[in-house]
mmCIF file with all atom_site columns, all heavy atoms in Angstrom:
data_model
loop_
_atom_site.group_PDB
_atom_site.id
_atom_site.type_symbol
_atom_site.label_atom_id
_atom_site.label_alt_id
_atom_site.label_comp_id
_atom_site.label_asym_id
_atom_site.label_entity_id
_atom_site.label_seq_id
_atom_site.pdbx_PDB_ins_code
_atom_site.Cartn_x
_atom_site.Cartn_y
_atom_site.Cartn_z
_atom_site.occupancy
_atom_site.B_iso_or_equiv
_atom_site.pdbx_formal_charge
_atom_site.auth_seq_id
_atom_site.auth_comp_id
_atom_site.auth_asym_id
_atom_site.auth_atom_id
_atom_site.pdbx_PDB_model_num
ATOM 1   N N   . GLY A 1 1  ? 0.815   -1.207  0.000  1.00 0.00 ? 1  GLY A N   1
ATOM 2   C CA  . GLY A 1 1  ? 0.000   0.000   0.000  1.00 0.00 ? 1  GLY A CA  1
ATOM 3   C C   . GLY A 1 1  ? 0.850   1.259   0.000  1.00 0.00 ? 1  GLY A C   1
ATOM 4   O O   . GLY A 1 1  ? 2.020   1.248   0.380  1.00 0.00 ? 1  GLY A O   1
ATOM 5   N N   . ARG A 1 2  ? 0.247   2.352   -0.435 1.00 0.00 ? 2  ARG A N   1
ATOM 6   C CA  . ARG A 1 2  ? 0.950   3.626   -0.504 1.00 0.00 ? 2  ARG A CA  1
ATOM 7   C C   . ARG A 1 2  ? 0.802   4.394   0.802  1.00 0.00 ? 2  ARG A C   1
ATOM 8   O O   . ARG A 1 2  ? -0.197  4.273   1.503  1.00 0.00 ? 2  ARG A O   1
ATOM 9   C CB  . ARG A 1 2  ? 0.411   4.461   -1.659 1.00 0.00 ? 2  ARG A CB  1
ATOM 10  C CG  . ARG A 1 2  ? 0.648   3.844   -3.036 1.00 0.00 ? 2  ARG A CG  1
ATOM 11  C CD  . ARG A 1 2  ? 0.128   4.763   -4.127 1.00 0.00 ? 2  ARG A CD  1
ATOM 12  N NE  . ARG A 1 2  ? 0.385   4.213   -5.459 1.00 0.00 ? 2  ARG A NE  1
ATOM 13  C CZ  . ARG A 1 2  ? 0.044   4.819   -6.602 1.00 0.00 ? 2  ARG A CZ  1
ATOM 14  N NH1 . ARG A 1 2  ? -0.577  5.997   -6.556 1.00 0.00 ? 2  ARG A NH1 1
ATOM 15  N NH2 . ARG A 1 2  ? 0.314   4.253   -7.759 1.00 0.00 ? 2  ARG A NH2 1
ATOM 16  N N   . VAL A 1 3  ? 1.812   5.198   1.082  1.00 0.00 ? 3  VAL A N   1
ATOM 17  C CA  . VAL A 1 3  ? 1.753   6.052   2.260  1.00 0.00 ? 3  VAL A CA  1
ATOM 18  C C   . VAL A 1 3  ? 0.693   7.120   2.036  1.00 0.00 ? 3  VAL A C   1
ATOM 19  O O   . VAL A 1 3  ? 0.680   7.783   0.989  1.00 0.00 ? 3  VAL A O   1
ATOM 20  C CB  . VAL A 1 3  ? 3.130   6.703   2.518  1.00 0.00 ? 3  VAL A CB  1
ATOM 21  C CG1 . VAL A 1 3  ? 3.069   7.616   3.734  1.00 0.00 ? 3  VAL A CG1 1
ATOM 22  C CG2 . VAL A 1 3  ? 4.189   5.641   2.704  1.00 0.00 ? 3  VAL A CG2 1
ATOM 23  N N   . PRO A 1 4  ? -0.250  7.288   2.964  1.00 0.00 ? 4  PRO A N   1
ATOM 24  C CA  . PRO A 1 4  ? -1.328  8.267   2.741  1.00 0.00 ? 4  PRO A CA  1
ATOM 25  C C   . PRO A 1 4  ? -0.803  9.694   2.741  1.00 0.00 ? 4  PRO A C   1
ATOM 26  O O   . PRO A 1 4  ? 0.243   10.005  3.316  1.00 0.00 ? 4  PRO A O   1
ATOM 27  C CB  . PRO A 1 4  ? -2.269  8.014   3.928  1.00 0.00 ? 4  PRO A CB  1
ATOM 28  C CG  . PRO A 1 4  ? -1.406  7.413   4.982  1.00 0.00 ? 4  PRO A CG  1
ATOM 29  C CD  . PRO A 1 4  ? -0.375  6.592   4.253  1.00 0.00 ? 4  PRO A CD  1
ATOM 30  N N   . LEU A 1 5  ? -1.528  10.550  2.070  1.00 0.00 ? 5  LEU A N   1
ATOM 31  C CA  . LEU A 1 5  ? -1.172  11.965  2.036  1.00 0.00 ? 5  LEU A CA  1
ATOM 32  C C   . LEU A 1 5  ? -1.328  12.579  3.424  1.00 0.00 ? 5  LEU A C   1
ATOM 33  O O   . LEU A 1 5  ? -2.160  12.138  4.226  1.00 0.00 ? 5  LEU A O   1
ATOM 34  C CB  . LEU A 1 5  ? -2.070  12.704  1.036  1.00 0.00 ? 5  LEU A CB  1
ATOM 35  C CG  . LEU A 1 5  ? -1.935  12.278  -0.430 1.00 0.00 ? 5  LEU A CG  1
ATOM 36  C CD1 . LEU A 1 5  ? -2.969  13.006  -1.276 1.00 0.00 ? 5  LEU A CD1 1
ATOM 37  C CD2 . LEU A 1 5  ? -0.529  12.546  -0.942 1.00 0.00 ? 5  LEU A CD2 1
ATOM 38  N N   . PRO A 1 6  ? -0.528  13.562  3.734  1.00 0.00 ? 6  PRO A N   1
ATOM 39  C CA  . PRO A 1 6  ? -0.627  14.195  5.064  1.00 0.00 ? 6  PRO A CA  1
ATOM 40  C C   . PRO A 1 6  ? -1.868  15.068  5.183  1.00 0.00 ? 6  PRO A C   1
ATOM 41  O O   . PRO A 1 6  ? -1.790  16.283  5.397  1.00 0.00 ? 6  PRO A O   1
ATOM 42  C CB  . PRO A 1 6  ? 0.664   15.013  5.139  1.00 0.00 ? 6  PRO A CB  1
ATOM 43  C CG  . PRO A 1 6  ? 1.013   15.315  3.727  1.00 0.00 ? 6  PRO A CG  1
ATOM 44  C CD  . PRO A 1 6  ? 0.575   14.119  2.932  1.00 0.00 ? 6  PRO A CD  1
ATOM 45  N N   . ILE A 1 7  ? -3.005  14.443  5.038  1.00 0.00 ? 7  ILE A N   1
ATOM 46  C CA  . ILE A 1 7  ? -4.292  15.126  5.162  1.00 0.00 ? 7  ILE A CA  1
ATOM 47  C C   . ILE A 1 7  ? -5.015  14.531  6.360  1.00 0.00 ? 7  ILE A C   1
ATOM 48  O O   . ILE A 1 7  ? -4.976  13.314  6.587  1.00 0.00 ? 7  ILE A O   1
ATOM 49  C CB  . ILE A 1 7  ? -5.131  14.973  3.876  1.00 0.00 ? 7  ILE A CB  1
ATOM 50  C CG1 . ILE A 1 7  ? -4.362  15.519  2.664  1.00 0.00 ? 7  ILE A CG1 1
ATOM 51  C CG2 . ILE A 1 7  ? -6.474  15.673  4.016  1.00 0.00 ? 7  ILE A CG2 1
ATOM 52  C CD1 . ILE A 1 7  ? -5.092  15.333  1.350  1.00 0.00 ? 7  ILE A CD1 1
ATOM 53  N N   . GLU A 1 8  ? -5.674  15.367  7.104  1.00 0.00 ? 8  GLU A N   1
ATOM 54  C CA  . GLU A 1 8  ? -6.379  14.901  8.296  1.00 0.00 ? 8  GLU A CA  1
ATOM 55  C C   . GLU A 1 8  ? -7.463  13.905  7.912  1.00 0.00 ? 8  GLU A C   1
ATOM 56  O O   . GLU A 1 8  ? -8.269  14.142  7.017  1.00 0.00 ? 8  GLU A O   1
ATOM 57  C CB  . GLU A 1 8  ? -6.993  16.095  9.038  1.00 0.00 ? 8  GLU A CB  1
ATOM 58  C CG  . GLU A 1 8  ? -7.650  15.711  10.356 1.00 0.00 ? 8  GLU A CG  1
ATOM 59  C CD  . GLU A 1 8  ? -8.215  16.914  11.080 1.00 0.00 ? 8  GLU A CD  1
ATOM 60  O OE1 . GLU A 1 8  ? -8.078  18.037  10.547 1.00 0.00 ? 8  GLU A OE1 1
ATOM 61  O OE2 . GLU A 1 8  ? -8.784  16.730  12.162 1.00 0.00 ? 8  GLU A OE2 1
ATOM 62  N N   . GLY A 1 9  ? -7.471  12.789  8.588  1.00 0.00 ? 9  GLY A N   1
ATOM 63  C CA  . GLY A 1 9  ? -8.454  11.745  8.336  1.00 0.00 ? 9  GLY A CA  1
ATOM 64  C C   . GLY A 1 9  ? -7.975  10.636  7.424  1.00 0.00 ? 9  GLY A C   1
ATOM 65  O O   . GLY A 1 9  ? -8.640  9.607   7.323  1.00 0.00 ? 9  GLY A O   1
ATOM 66  N N   . ARG A 1 10 ? -6.845  10.828  6.746  1.00 0.00 ? 10 ARG A N   1
ATOM 67  C CA  . ARG A 1 10 ? -6.314  9.780   5.884  1.00 0.00 ? 10 ARG A CA  1
ATOM 68  C C   . ARG A 1 10 ? -5.560  8.754   6.733  1.00 0.00 ? 10 ARG A C   1
ATOM 69  O O   . ARG A 1 10 ? -4.733  9.109   7.563  1.00 0.00 ? 10 ARG A O   1
ATOM 70  C CB  . ARG A 1 10 ? -5.393  10.367  4.817  1.00 0.00 ? 10 ARG A CB  1
ATOM 71  C CG  . ARG A 1 10 ? -6.104  11.269  3.821  1.00 0.00 ? 10 ARG A CG  1
ATOM 72  C CD  . ARG A 1 10 ? -7.025  10.454  2.932  1.00 0.00 ? 10 ARG A CD  1
ATOM 73  N NE  . ARG A 1 10 ? -7.663  11.278  1.915  1.00 0.00 ? 10 ARG A NE  1
ATOM 74  C CZ  . ARG A 1 10 ? -7.173  11.453  0.694  1.00 0.00 ? 10 ARG A CZ  1
ATOM 75  N NH1 . ARG A 1 10 ? -6.024  10.887  0.357  1.00 0.00 ? 10 ARG A NH1 1
ATOM 76  N NH2 . ARG A 1 10 ? -7.809  12.205  -0.183 1.00 0.00 ? 10 ARG A NH2 1
ATOM 77  N N   . LYS A 1 11 ? -5.846  7.481   6.501  1.00 0.00 ? 11 LYS A N   1
ATOM 78  C CA  . LYS A 1 11 ? -5.214  6.402   7.248  1.00 0.00 ? 11 LYS A CA  1
ATOM 79  C C   . LYS A 1 11 ? -4.488  5.475   6.282  1.00 0.00 ? 11 LYS A C   1
ATOM 80  O O   . LYS A 1 11 ? -4.779  5.434   5.085  1.00 0.00 ? 11 LYS A O   1
ATOM 81  C CB  . LYS A 1 11 ? -6.250  5.615   8.062  1.00 0.00 ? 11 LYS A CB  1
ATOM 82  C CG  . LYS A 1 11 ? -7.069  6.465   9.029  1.00 0.00 ? 11 LYS A CG  1
ATOM 83  C CD  . LYS A 1 11 ? -6.211  6.976   10.179 1.00 0.00 ? 11 LYS A CD  1
ATOM 84  C CE  . LYS A 1 11 ? -7.062  7.739   11.194 1.00 0.00 ? 11 LYS A CE  1
ATOM 85  N NZ  . LYS A 1 11 ? -6.271  8.202   12.359 1.00 0.00 ? 11 LYS A NZ  1
ATOM 86  N N   . GLU A 1 12 ? -3.559  4.696   6.836  1.00 0.00 ? 12 GLU A N   1
ATOM 87  C CA  . GLU A 1 12 ? -2.770  3.788   6.005  1.00 0.00 ? 12 GLU A CA  1
ATOM 88  C C   . GLU A 1 12 ? -3.517  2.506   5.662  1.00 0.00 ? 12 GLU A C   1
ATOM 89  O O   . GLU A 1 12 ? -3.220  1.854   4.669  1.00 0.00 ? 12 GLU A O   1
ATOM 90  C CB  . GLU A 1 12 ? -1.465  3.446   6.717  1.00 0.00 ? 12 GLU A CB  1
ATOM 91  C CG  . GLU A 1 12 ? -1.655  2.720   8.029  1.00 0.00 ? 12 GLU A CG  1
ATOM 92  C CD  . GLU A 1 12 ? -0.360  2.522   8.797  1.00 0.00 ? 12 GLU A CD  1
ATOM 93  O OE1 . GLU A 1 12 ? 0.572   3.325   8.584  1.00 0.00 ? 12 GLU A OE1 1
ATOM 94  O OE2 . GLU A 1 12 ? -0.286  1.587   9.615  1.00 0.00 ? 12 GLU A OE2 1
ATOM 95  N N   . GLY A 1 13 ? -4.495  2.129   6.465  1.00 0.00 ? 13 GLY A N   1
ATOM 96  C CA  . GLY A 1 13 ? -5.238  0.897   6.232  1.00 0.00 ? 13 GLY A CA  1
ATOM 97  C C   . GLY A 1 13 ? -4.624  -0.284  6.964  1.00 0.00 ? 13 GLY A C   1
ATOM 98  O O   . GLY A 1 13 ? -3.404  -0.366  7.133  1.00 0.00 ? 13 GLY A O   1
ATOM 99  N N   . VAL A 1 14 ? -5.461  -1.202  7.385  1.00 0.00 ? 14 VAL A N   1
ATOM 100 C CA  . VAL A 1 14 ? -5.025  -2.351  8.177  1.00 0.00 ? 14 VAL A CA  1
ATOM 101 C C   . VAL A 1 14 ? -5.723  -3.604  7.666  1.00 0.00 ? 14 VAL A C   1
ATOM 102 O O   . VAL A 1 14 ? -6.939  -3.593  7.434  1.00 0.00 ? 14 VAL A O   1
ATOM 103 C CB  . VAL A 1 14 ? -5.325  -2.158  9.681  1.00 0.00 ? 14 VAL A CB  1
ATOM 104 C CG1 . VAL A 1 14 ? -4.763  -3.313  10.498 1.00 0.00 ? 14 VAL A CG1 1
ATOM 105 C CG2 . VAL A 1 14 ? -4.770  -0.842  10.178 1.00 0.00 ? 14 VAL A CG2 1
ATOM 106 N N   . TYR A 1 15 ? -4.946  -4.669  7.493  1.00 0.00 ? 15 TYR A N   1
ATOM 107 C CA  . TYR A 1 15 ? -5.499  -5.989  7.187  1.00 0.00 ? 15 TYR A CA  1
ATOM 108 C C   . TYR A 1 15 ? -5.680  -6.742  8.502  1.00 0.00 ? 15 TYR A C   1
ATOM 109 O O   . TYR A 1 15 ? -4.719  -6.925  9.260  1.00 0.00 ? 15 TYR A O   1
ATOM 110 C CB  . TYR A 1 15 ? -4.567  -6.779  6.267  1.00 0.00 ? 15 TYR A CB  1
ATOM 111 C CG  . TYR A 1 15 ? -4.606  -6.352  4.825  1.00 0.00 ? 15 TYR A CG  1
ATOM 112 C CD1 . TYR A 1 15 ? -3.700  -5.420  4.331  1.00 0.00 ? 15 TYR A CD1 1
ATOM 113 C CD2 . TYR A 1 15 ? -5.550  -6.887  3.952  1.00 0.00 ? 15 TYR A CD2 1
ATOM 114 C CE1 . TYR A 1 15 ? -3.734  -5.030  3.002  1.00 0.00 ? 15 TYR A CE1 1
ATOM 115 C CE2 . TYR A 1 15 ? -5.587  -6.489  2.622  1.00 0.00 ? 15 TYR A CE2 1
ATOM 116 C CZ  . TYR A 1 15 ? -4.673  -5.570  2.154  1.00 0.00 ? 15 TYR A CZ  1
ATOM 117 O OH  . TYR A 1 15 ? -4.717  -5.189  0.831  1.00 0.00 ? 15 TYR A OH  1
ATOM 118 N N   . VAL A 1 16 ? -6.900  -7.181  8.759  1.00 0.00 ? 16 VAL A N   1
ATOM 119 C CA  . VAL A 1 16 ? -7.214  -7.919  9.972  1.00 0.00 ? 16 VAL A CA  1
ATOM 120 C C   . VAL A 1 16 ? -7.732  -9.293  9.563  1.00 0.00 ? 16 VAL A C   1
ATOM 121 O O   . VAL A 1 16 ? -8.722  -9.401  8.838  1.00 0.00 ? 16 VAL A O   1
ATOM 122 C CB  . VAL A 1 16 ? -8.261  -7.184  10.833 1.00 0.00 ? 16 VAL A CB  1
ATOM 123 C CG1 . VAL A 1 16 ? -8.513  -7.957  12.122 1.00 0.00 ? 16 VAL A CG1 1
ATOM 124 C CG2 . VAL A 1 16 ? -7.802  -5.768  11.142 1.00 0.00 ? 16 VAL A CG2 1
ATOM 125 N N   . LYS A 1 17 ? -7.049  -10.323 10.035 1.00 0.00 ? 17 LYS A N   1
ATOM 126 C CA  . LYS A 1 17 ? -7.455  -11.699 9.730  1.00 0.00 ? 17 LYS A CA  1
ATOM 127 C C   . LYS A 1 17 ? -8.179  -12.282 10.937 1.00 0.00 ? 17 LYS A C   1
ATOM 128 O O   . LYS A 1 17 ? -7.666  -12.272 12.048 1.00 0.00 ? 17 LYS A O   1
ATOM 129 C CB  . LYS A 1 17 ? -6.239  -12.559 9.377  1.00 0.00 ? 17 LYS A CB  1
ATOM 130 C CG  . LYS A 1 17 ? -6.594  -13.990 8.982  1.00 0.00 ? 17 LYS A CG  1
ATOM 131 C CD  . LYS A 1 17 ? -5.358  -14.793 8.633  1.00 0.00 ? 17 LYS A CD  1
ATOM 132 C CE  . LYS A 1 17 ? -4.753  -14.309 7.339  1.00 0.00 ? 17 LYS A CE  1
ATOM 133 N NZ  . LYS A 1 17 ? -3.612  -15.189 6.920  1.00 0.00 ? 17 LYS A NZ  1
ATOM 134 N N   . VAL A 1 18 ? -9.386  -12.766 10.688 1.00 0.00 ? 18 VAL A N   1
ATOM 135 C CA  . VAL A 1 18 ? -10.245 -13.324 11.725 1.00 0.00 ? 18 VAL A CA  1
ATOM 136 C C   . VAL A 1 18 ? -10.496 -14.782 11.386 1.00 0.00 ? 18 VAL A C   1
ATOM 137 O O   . VAL A 1 18 ? -10.689 -15.133 10.211 1.00 0.00 ? 18 VAL A O   1
ATOM 138 C CB  . VAL A 1 18 ? -11.565 -12.535 11.835 1.00 0.00 ? 18 VAL A CB  1
ATOM 139 C CG1 . VAL A 1 18 ? -12.456 -13.125 12.906 1.00 0.00 ? 18 VAL A CG1 1
ATOM 140 C CG2 . VAL A 1 18 ? -11.280 -11.068 12.136 1.00 0.00 ? 18 VAL A CG2 1
ATOM 141 N N   . GLY A 1 19 ? -10.477 -15.633 12.398 1.00 0.00 ? 19 GLY A N   1
ATOM 142 C CA  . GLY A 1 19 ? -10.689 -17.061 12.180 1.00 0.00 ? 19 GLY A CA  1
ATOM 143 C C   . GLY A 1 19 ? -11.820 -17.611 13.014 1.00 0.00 ? 19 GLY A C   1
ATOM 144 O O   . GLY A 1 19 ? -12.182 -17.056 14.055 1.00 0.00 ? 19 GLY A O   1
ATOM 145 N N   . SER A 1 20 ? -12.387 -18.717 12.545 1.00 0.00 ? 20 SER A N   1
ATOM 146 C CA  . SER A 1 20 ? -13.487 -19.369 13.234 1.00 0.00 ? 20 SER A CA  1
ATOM 147 C C   . SER A 1 20 ? -13.469 -20.850 12.879 1.00 0.00 ? 20 SER A C   1
ATOM 148 O O   . SER A 1 20 ? -12.934 -21.258 11.841 1.00 0.00 ? 20 SER A O   1
ATOM 149 C CB  . SER A 1 20 ? -14.836 -18.753 12.854 1.00 0.00 ? 20 SER A CB  1
ATOM 150 O OG  . SER A 1 20 ? -15.907 -19.489 13.408 1.00 0.00 ? 20 SER A OG  1
ATOM 151 N N   . HIS A 1 21 ? -14.057 -21.655 13.752 1.00 0.00 ? 21 HIS A N   1
ATOM 152 C CA  . HIS A 1 21 ? -14.212 -23.082 13.481 1.00 0.00 ? 21 HIS A CA  1
ATOM 153 C C   . HIS A 1 21 ? -15.541 -23.385 12.782 1.00 0.00 ? 21 HIS A C   1
ATOM 154 O O   . HIS A 1 21 ? -15.830 -24.547 12.502 1.00 0.00 ? 21 HIS A O   1
ATOM 155 C CB  . HIS A 1 21 ? -14.133 -23.889 14.789 1.00 0.00 ? 21 HIS A CB  1
ATOM 156 C CG  . HIS A 1 21 ? -12.756 -23.896 15.386 1.00 0.00 ? 21 HIS A CG  1
ATOM 157 N ND1 . HIS A 1 21 ? -11.791 -24.809 15.028 1.00 0.00 ? 21 HIS A ND1 1
ATOM 158 C CD2 . HIS A 1 21 ? -12.181 -23.088 16.310 1.00 0.00 ? 21 HIS A CD2 1
ATOM 159 C CE1 . HIS A 1 21 ? -10.678 -24.582 15.707 1.00 0.00 ? 21 HIS A CE1 1
ATOM 160 N NE2 . HIS A 1 21 ? -10.892 -23.537 16.495 1.00 0.00 ? 21 HIS A NE2 1
ATOM 161 N N   . SER A 1 22 ? -16.322 -22.349 12.517 1.00 0.00 ? 22 SER A N   1
ATOM 162 C CA  . SER A 1 22 ? -17.601 -22.506 11.836 1.00 0.00 ? 22 SER A CA  1
ATOM 163 C C   . SER A 1 22 ? -17.479 -22.020 10.397 1.00 0.00 ? 22 SER A C   1
ATOM 164 O O   . SER A 1 22 ? -16.671 -21.133 10.103 1.00 0.00 ? 22 SER A O   1
ATOM 165 C CB  . SER A 1 22 ? -18.695 -21.712 12.561 1.00 0.00 ? 22 SER A CB  1
ATOM 166 O OG  . SER A 1 22 ? -18.790 -22.114 13.916 1.00 0.00 ? 22 SER A OG  1
ATOM 167 N N   . PRO A 1 23 ? -18.267 -22.585 9.486  1.00 0.00 ? 23 PRO A N   1
ATOM 168 C CA  . PRO A 1 23 ? -18.165 -22.175 8.069  1.00 0.00 ? 23 PRO A CA  1
ATOM 169 C C   . PRO A 1 23 ? -18.554 -20.717 7.876  1.00 0.00 ? 23 PRO A C   1
ATOM 170 O O   . PRO A 1 23 ? -19.124 -20.059 8.748  1.00 0.00 ? 23 PRO A O   1
ATOM 171 C CB  . PRO A 1 23 ? -19.144 -23.128 7.363  1.00 0.00 ? 23 PRO A CB  1
ATOM 172 C CG  . PRO A 1 23 ? -19.326 -24.278 8.297  1.00 0.00 ? 23 PRO A CG  1
ATOM 173 C CD  . PRO A 1 23 ? -19.197 -23.718 9.683  1.00 0.00 ? 23 PRO A CD  1
ATOM 174 N N   . PHE A 1 24 ? -18.233 -20.225 6.688  1.00 0.00 ? 24 PHE A N   1
ATOM 175 C CA  . PHE A 1 24 ? -18.550 -18.843 6.351  1.00 0.00 ? 24 PHE A CA  1
ATOM 176 C C   . PHE A 1 24 ? -20.060 -18.670 6.189  1.00 0.00 ? 24 PHE A C   1
ATOM 177 O O   . PHE A 1 24 ? -20.776 -19.588 5.788  1.00 0.00 ? 24 PHE A O   1
ATOM 178 C CB  . PHE A 1 24 ? -17.849 -18.435 5.054  1.00 0.00 ? 24 PHE A CB  1
ATOM 179 C CG  . PHE A 1 24 ? -16.355 -18.595 5.095  1.00 0.00 ? 24 PHE A CG  1
ATOM 180 C CD1 . PHE A 1 24 ? -15.726 -19.539 4.302  1.00 0.00 ? 24 PHE A CD1 1
ATOM 181 C CD2 . PHE A 1 24 ? -15.588 -17.811 5.934  1.00 0.00 ? 24 PHE A CD2 1
ATOM 182 C CE1 . PHE A 1 24 ? -14.346 -19.689 4.339  1.00 0.00 ? 24 PHE A CE1 1
ATOM 183 C CE2 . PHE A 1 24 ? -14.208 -17.949 5.977  1.00 0.00 ? 24 PHE A CE2 1
ATOM 184 C CZ  . PHE A 1 24 ? -13.588 -18.893 5.183  1.00 0.00 ? 24 PHE A CZ  1
ATOM 185 N N   . SER A 1 25 ? -20.499 -17.466 6.474  1.00 0.00 ? 25 SER A N   1
ATOM 186 C CA  . SER A 1 25 ? -21.917 -17.155 6.338  1.00 0.00 ? 25 SER A CA  1
ATOM 187 C C   . SER A 1 25 ? -22.246 -16.879 4.873  1.00 0.00 ? 25 SER A C   1
ATOM 188 O O   . SER A 1 25 ? -21.360 -16.572 4.069  1.00 0.00 ? 25 SER A O   1
ATOM 189 C CB  . SER A 1 25 ? -22.259 -15.937 7.196  1.00 0.00 ? 25 SER A CB  1
ATOM 190 O OG  . SER A 1 25 ? -21.564 -14.794 6.713  1.00 0.00 ? 25 SER A OG  1
ATOM 191 N N   . PRO A 1 26 ? -23.514 -16.983 4.485  1.00 0.00 ? 26 PRO A N   1
ATOM 192 C CA  . PRO A 1 26 ? -23.887 -16.629 3.113  1.00 0.00 ? 26 PRO A CA  1
ATOM 193 C C   . PRO A 1 26 ? -23.536 -15.199 2.746  1.00 0.00 ? 26 PRO A C   1
ATOM 194 O O   . PRO A 1 26 ? -23.270 -14.897 1.577  1.00 0.00 ? 26 PRO A O   1
ATOM 195 C CB  . PRO A 1 26 ? -25.397 -16.856 3.088  1.00 0.00 ? 26 PRO A CB  1
ATOM 196 C CG  . PRO A 1 26 ? -25.648 -17.858 4.179  1.00 0.00 ? 26 PRO A CG  1
ATOM 197 C CD  . PRO A 1 26 ? -24.642 -17.535 5.249  1.00 0.00 ? 26 PRO A CD  1
ATOM 198 N N   . CYS A 1 27 ? -23.514 -14.311 3.735  1.00 0.00 ? 27 CYS A N   1
ATOM 199 C CA  . CYS A 1 27 ? -23.158 -12.919 3.455  1.00 0.00 ? 27 CYS A CA  1
ATOM 200 C C   . CYS A 1 27 ? -21.722 -12.813 2.966  1.00 0.00 ? 27 CYS A C   1
ATOM 201 O O   . CYS A 1 27 ? -21.429 -12.130 1.980  1.00 0.00 ? 27 CYS A O   1
ATOM 202 C CB  . CYS A 1 27 ? -23.370 -12.079 4.709  1.00 0.00 ? 27 CYS A CB  1
ATOM 203 S SG  . CYS A 1 27 ? -22.855 -10.353 4.556  1.00 0.00 ? 27 CYS A SG  1
#
């Protein structure tokens, strides 16, 4: 990813991995 511009409210972004023992939902 690119470094965000120095503007208020701009974020770099985060990848969050979540796991479960149950299958994925239809959504």
Side-chain angles (χ1 to χ4, degrees):
R2 296 182 178 181
V3 179
L5 296 175
I7 302 177
E8 185 179 359
R10 294 291 183 93
K11 303 291 184 178
E12 62 186 25
V14 185
Y15 283 94
V16 183
K17 183 180 290 186
V18 180
S20 173
H21 290 274
S22 303
F24 303 113
S25 64
C27 176

